[in-house]
Every structure is written in structure tokens, then in C-alpha cells.
Amino acid sequence: MPKKNPVILSGDGTADPIDTWWWLSHKGTTTSFLCISLFALLIRSAVSMFPYSGAGTPPKFGDFEAQRHWMEITTNLPAIDWYRNGTHNDLTYWGLDYPPLTAYQSYLHGILLRTFSPESVSLFSSRGHESYHGKLLMRWTVLSSDVLIFFPATLFFVLVYHRDRTRRANSEVAWHIAMILLNPCLILIDHGHFQYNCISLGLTLAAIAAVLCGSEVLTCVLFSLALSHKQMSAYFAPAFFSHLLGKCLRRKNPILSVLKLGIAVIVTFVVVWWPYLHSVDDFFMVLSRLAPFERGIYEDYVANFWCTTSILIKWKKLFTTPSLKSISLAATILASLPSMVQQILSPSNEGFLYSLLNSSMAFYLFSFQVHEKSILMPFLAATLLALKIPDHFNHLTYYALFSMFPLLCRDKLLLPYLTLHLLFTLIYHSPGTHITLPKTKTSSFSFTSFPGYVFLLRTHFFISLVLHVVYLNIQPPQKYPFLFEALIMILCFSYFVMFAIYTNYTQWNISSHFRSADKEKKQI
């Protein structure tokens, strides 16, 4: 939790907090952004020097090989064969299972690799290719994706979100930029484990910024692109849908407003999906690759409802896969419904940000086939609200990282994990106005007011520290080889549930806060 800052006396005798961000922020947002961006790139480059998923572990290696293989397929086969099983494309070996925009991205990156390291994407013979030059180029493709998409989207969001700031709030803006660009979960997954989440998250972040500045058609285009890059972007879909619908219903011609946005969505999807719209079979061929229901409702030990409760309820044995699809869909909709209803009834920018957080957390906790990396979705939304819920954001960062701890250990990323943890802690607790500026009082509810909550939180934290040490130094019993993973999962899941309850309550309290403010204005 943020500590009280030491104070110094200004010229007029008033007490001002020591602001460690002043040297960076006093020249404006753009300068702060450029400086923090350079530092963020340095951190990403340093993490890129460590191993990646599946390094040196044949026959299928890991996510690094999957991304390289997609470059191999897209640069050597026509687009219509990218998702089709055949002689030159064995779908059992890292078959492409993301939407077409990911395939186009793989094609562009594959062209780069083919230009400078043709052997790294040659058909068949490049499987498991791990040359130094090839790995360097692969790492550069992720860095360039960050620079070209995620970083500009962050600047767009910050400029819109903080457009009404005072000069005193400059350090608050700089701190917020650092929280977004130095997101430890995203850095570890994209630049350590190896993925391109920065693209879909960057498009989503740009769509969020477009909502905040009132550009609804641009919002639809950008979010449609995000959905066409990674289907996990659907975690945010209920928030976008309910917020835009709520705004359209308040206009003179709501049907016309909805039609305009619908056309923007349809046109965007048609453009991106065009190679696969010439036949129904081709279209459904791609769709079938995006929903791998045959893998079951969960894999590994992810801190969501299905995996955690499977310790007591054997979901896979009690229900068939079609039944579990229906049950998880119903549970996800029910968990998302409160935040959706609130935005339809009372759409607001702040409520929209909470809705993004609540809908993505609902998907993480209850949807079908969730991975540990899926925590990136609710964590991005929480990062945007870091100045509104600083204490909860701090705790969520810790448990989001901890939920991925076993995965990162398997990838031999322990040192980057610990280093980024420390870096986040130092930046988060740095003295400045981001701590001392008053937060909007939209909710009087806080878990800290419950007897025993602080003790529970400290106990949670202590157990997590013990589990870190135990996981690294002690072998689990042979009868329960995944005992420690299960304990980590239970601990993180319990915090995520408490966090989701708090943020849902806070979102609903926003509308009552605005109503009471309106009443006060009328009385005046």
C-alpha cells in the first residue's frame, strides 16, 4: 500500500510532497512518454536475452516455435491453405489457431525473416530452427510490434484520459504512463515467453481511447481489428457493446446510430476476413480453428473457477464437452451481466473502464479454455484504472504475476520475474502526486473496512512467499506431482474473486454517485 510521503515547505509555507517525477514530468506529457518509452524498450530488450517457451525442447518446442512456424506457413503457402490441413500444412504441428489478422502479421514478419535469414522460414526444413540470427530477428519482430502499435496506443489513451489535467498532475500522468508501458505481465509473456499480445492489446487500448474521445466509428474499427487478431479480445466485447448501446439509446435516432456502428464493424470484418468469405466451408474452417473445444474446459493449473473447483468437482468426468460449453457460456454471461446492465442504463467513461475490467475478469474466471496468459486482459483494464484503485491495483499486479509463476519457471524466466517485480514495486511506491492527489469518491465500500480483511490479505501474502520458496526448492509428493501449482492456483483465484466483487460493486456505485451529484446541482 502507498505510504505517506515526506513533505517539504514551498515558498508560501504550504506543505508539498516530495515529487520524484518532477524532473521528468515538468516538460509535459510527450517528453515524459518518450523518456519512459526508451526505458521500457531497454527493459524489454533485457528480458529478450533470456530463454523463451520451449527453448531447446523438441519435438514441438513451444510458443516461440509456434510463432516461427506460422511465419513459415504464411510465407510459403497461399492464404487459403493457411488454416487447412494438408501435405504442406500439418495442423497437428502448431496449426494456425488465431484469426486472419494474426496470419497477416505472421506473413509480414515472415517476409522479414526470409529476407535476412531464409533458412529460418523454409518449408519443412526450418522446424525447430533456433539459430542465433533467427532468434534475434524473432525478438525484434516483437519489439517492433510494441513500438508500432502498443506504444502509440498508450500515448493516445494517456492524452485523452488526462486531457483535463492540471499542471500539478503532470507527475501523475508520468506515473500512469510507466504503469502501462512497464506492465510486468505483458513484458514477461511477450518478450520472455514469446507472443504478440502487444498487438491485440494495443488495438484494444486504442479503441478504448477512441471511446473516451467520442469517436465511436473508430472504436468499432479498432476493436474489430483487435478481435480479428486474437479471439481473446472478446473478453472486452461485453463492455464495448453495452457502453456503445447505452449511448446510442440516448440519441434522437438510436436505430440509425446502431446501424452506423454495425456497418463499421461489418466492413472491417469483411476486409480482414475477405480471403475466407468466398465459400461457407472456408469460413467455418477458420472458425473451427479458433475454438479448440477438444482440449477441454481448462488446461494446466490456471487460477479460474473451473480449474480451482475441479479439485472437488470433476467437471470433465461429470459433464460432456458440449454440456460444459453451455455451462461455461451461461456462467460467463451471468458474471458479465451486472457490468453490462450498468453501462446500458447509465453509460459513462469511468463506468466503461470498470466495465472493461469486470467483463474481462468474468471471462477469465468462467469462460471455456482459459490460459494463465489470459490474465493479461483484466490486468490491462486494471492498469488503466491504476490511479482510481491504487491499492487494489498493487495487489492485483502481485497475484497476476504469481498466477503465472509456474509457467515462467518452466520457461527459465525466474530472474526476469523477480527483477520486474522489484522494478514495479519501486516505481509504484515512488513519492509523487500520483499518491497524494485525492481519488474520485465513487464508492464508500472497501474490503479494508471488514474485520479481519487486512489480516487475511497479509496471510495470503505470507503464504505466497512461502510457496515461492517451496516451489523452487522442494519436490512435491509423487502422488500429487502438481500440488504446489494447485496451491498457487487456489491462492490467486481467491484474490481474483474478492477483486471482482469489489470492482463490480464500485462500477454500480458510480451511477448512484452521479445521480446524487446531479441532485446537488439542482438544489443549488
Side-chain angles (χ1 to χ4, degrees):
M1 293 177 65
K3 297 179 180 178
K4 290 184 178 179
N5 297 305
V7 297
I8 56 175
L9 293 179
S10 60
D12 58 1
T14 58
D16 285 330
I18 294 176
D19 189 355
T20 55
W21 293 88
W22 179 87
W23 67 273
L24 179 64
S25 62
H26 74 285
K27 289 191 176 181
T29 299
T30 305
T31 302
S32 299
F33 176 80
L34 289 174
C35 293
I36 296 170
S37 295
L38 289 173
F39 182 66
L41 277 174
L42 178 64
I43 296 299
R44 283 162 166 76
S45 301
V47 172
S48 297
M49 297 172 68
F50 287 83
Y52 47 81
S53 170
T57 55
K60 292 193 71 173
F61 301 91
D63 276 3
F64 178 91
E65 169 63 10
Q67 301 288 345
R68 188 215 57 78
H69 179 64
W70 297 344
M71 297 178 197
E72 169 197 342
I73 292 300
T74 54
T75 53
N76 287 284
L77 299 178
I80 199 65
D81 291 331
W82 291 349
Y83 294 91
R84 180 179 290 142
N85 195 46
T87 306
H88 300 294
N89 186 16
D90 180 8
L91 293 182
T92 62
Y93 184 82
W94 296 118
L96 190 55
D97 54 6
Y98 284 112
L101 198 57
T102 287
Y104 305 149
Q105 164 233 310
S106 297
Y107 174 76
L108 291 175
H109 288 159
I111 294 296
L112 175 70
L113 263 69
R114 191 170 65 182
T115 302
F116 296 100
S117 179
E119 68 279 3
S120 62
V121 289
S122 60
L123 197 61
F124 296 126
S125 62
S126 64
R127 286 192 177 185
H129 185 86
E130 292 184 296
S131 71
Y132 173 79
H133 196 197
K135 289 187 288 186
L136 183 64
L137 288 169
M138 289 283 285
R139 290 295 197 186
W140 272 108
T141 61
V142 187
L143 281 170
S144 61
S145 299
D146 247 331
V147 171
L148 293 174
I149 297 176
F150 189 76
F151 282 39
T154 300
L155 180 60
F156 183 20
F157 171 81
V158 168
L159 290 174
V160 173
Y161 185 72
H162 294 282
R163 60 181 177 268
D164 297 325
R165 71 188 184 279
T166 62
R167 185 171 181 81
R168 176 178 167 78
N170 279 346
S171 68
E172 185 181 24
V173 178
W175 181 85
H176 202 188
I177 293 171
M179 290 295 101
I180 299 172
L181 292 184
L182 293 168
N183 177 332
C185 296
L186 180 60
I187 294 174
L188 285 168
I189 293 300
D190 274 14
H191 300 275
H193 179 84
F194 199 92
Q195 284 194 339
Y196 294 91
N197 295 288
C198 57
I199 297 177
S200 58
L201 291 179
L203 291 168
T204 301
L205 184 53
I208 294 167
V211 168
L212 300 184
C213 69
S215 302
E216 294 170 5
V217 173
L218 179 61
T219 296
C220 291
V221 172
L222 289 169
F223 187 61
S224 297
L225 290 174
L227 284 168
S228 295
H229 186 265
K230 278 203 171 185
Q231 57 268 43
M232 282 194 304
S233 300
Y235 283 34
F236 300 113
F240 278 98
F241 173 79
S242 57
H243 179 77
L244 293 175
L245 179 61
K247 291 176 76 173
C248 287
L249 292 176
R250 280 157 179 74
R251 301 213 171 110
K252 291 181 179 179
N253 296 305
I255 296 177
L256 187 62
S257 297
V258 171
L259 280 175
K260 182 176 69 173
L261 299 184
I263 290 171
V265 170
I266 292 170
V267 169
T268 305
F269 273 105
V270 167
V271 170
V272 175
W273 287 69
W274 182 249
Y276 308 101
L277 298 180
H278 299 292
S279 78
V280 175
D281 290 340
D282 290 339
F283 178 69
F284 281 102
M285 172 187 68
V286 178
L287 282 185
S288 66
R289 294 296 304 160
L290 307 186
F293 293 119
E294 69 279 358
R295 297 180 188 174
I297 195 166
Y298 60 82
E299 285 182 302
D300 297 326
Y301 282 82
V302 60
N304 77 341
F305 175 80
W306 307 111
C307 196
T308 304
T309 57
S310 67
I311 295 172
L312 300 175
I313 305 171
K314 304 304 177 184
W315 298 103
K316 293 181 179 180
K317 292 181 180 179
L318 290 173
F319 299 96
T320 62
T321 297
S323 298
L324 286 174
K325 283 161 56 178
S326 301
I327 294 170
S328 64
L329 177 62
T332 305
I333 292 173
L334 285 172
S336 304
L337 204 56
S339 66
M340 291 181 67
V341 171
Q342 190 275 334
Q343 277 302 282
I344 292 173
L345 296 177
S346 181
S348 66
N349 286 345
E350 187 176 346
F352 170 62
L353 294 179
Y354 275 100
S355 185
L356 289 165
L357 176 53
N358 291 324
S359 68
S360 56
M361 185 61 83
F363 270 75
Y364 178 82
L365 292 175
F366 296 106
S367 64
F368 200 96
Q369 254 300 313
V370 174
H371 297 273
E372 301 100 317
K373 295 161 282 190
S374 301
I375 195 62
L376 290 174
M377 305 298 160
F379 188 69
L380 173 70
T383 305
L384 306 184
L385 286 164
L387 288 162
K388 298 288 183 181
I389 49 171
D391 292 343
H392 293 284
F393 170 67
N394 183 27
H395 300 149
L396 179 67
T397 303
Y398 179 83
Y399 287 103
L401 278 168
F402 189 41
S403 71
M404 300 190 298
F405 180 64
L407 171 70
L408 297 171
C409 283
R410 288 197 298 271
D411 292 340
K412 299 177 183 178
L413 294 170
L414 177 61
L415 182 58
Y417 170 85
L418 295 173
T419 304
L420 286 179
H421 232 316
L422 177 61
L423 177 64
F424 169 82
T425 303
L426 290 173
I427 294 174
Y428 176 84
H429 289 284
S430 59
T433 57
H434 58 280
I435 299 300
T436 59
L437 282 176
K439 308 297 181 291
T440 304
K441 296 182 179 179
T442 56
S443 174
S444 60
F445 169 79
S446 174
F447 279 120
T448 55
S449 62
F450 283 82
Y453 171 73
V454 174
F455 173 77
L456 176 64
L457 197 63
R458 288 175 178 171
T459 304
H460 253 66
F461 179 69
F462 176 75
I463 294 172
S464 70
L465 293 179
V466 172
L467 282 174
H468 274 97
V469 176
V470 168
Y471 186 87
L472 293 172
N473 295 284
I474 299 177
Q475 289 294 323
Q478 289 186 353
K479 189 177 179 180
Y480 304 105
F482 300 105
L483 174 64
F484 301 146
E485 285 90 345
L487 292 174
I488 292 171
M489 170 189 68
I490 293 169
L491 200 68
C492 294
F493 172 73
S494 61
Y495 178 77
F496 293 154
V497 169
M498 289 190 294
F499 181 81
I501 293 171
Y502 168 77
T503 53
N504 271 278
Y505 179 91
T506 303
Q507 182 187 337
W508 268 94
N509 210 51
I510 288 171
S511 53
S512 61
H513 168 75
F514 286 144
R515 283 196 297 269
S516 62
D518 289 339
K519 288 180 181 178
E520 289 177 5
K521 287 180 181 178
K522 288 178 181 179
Q523 289 175 357
I524 293 172

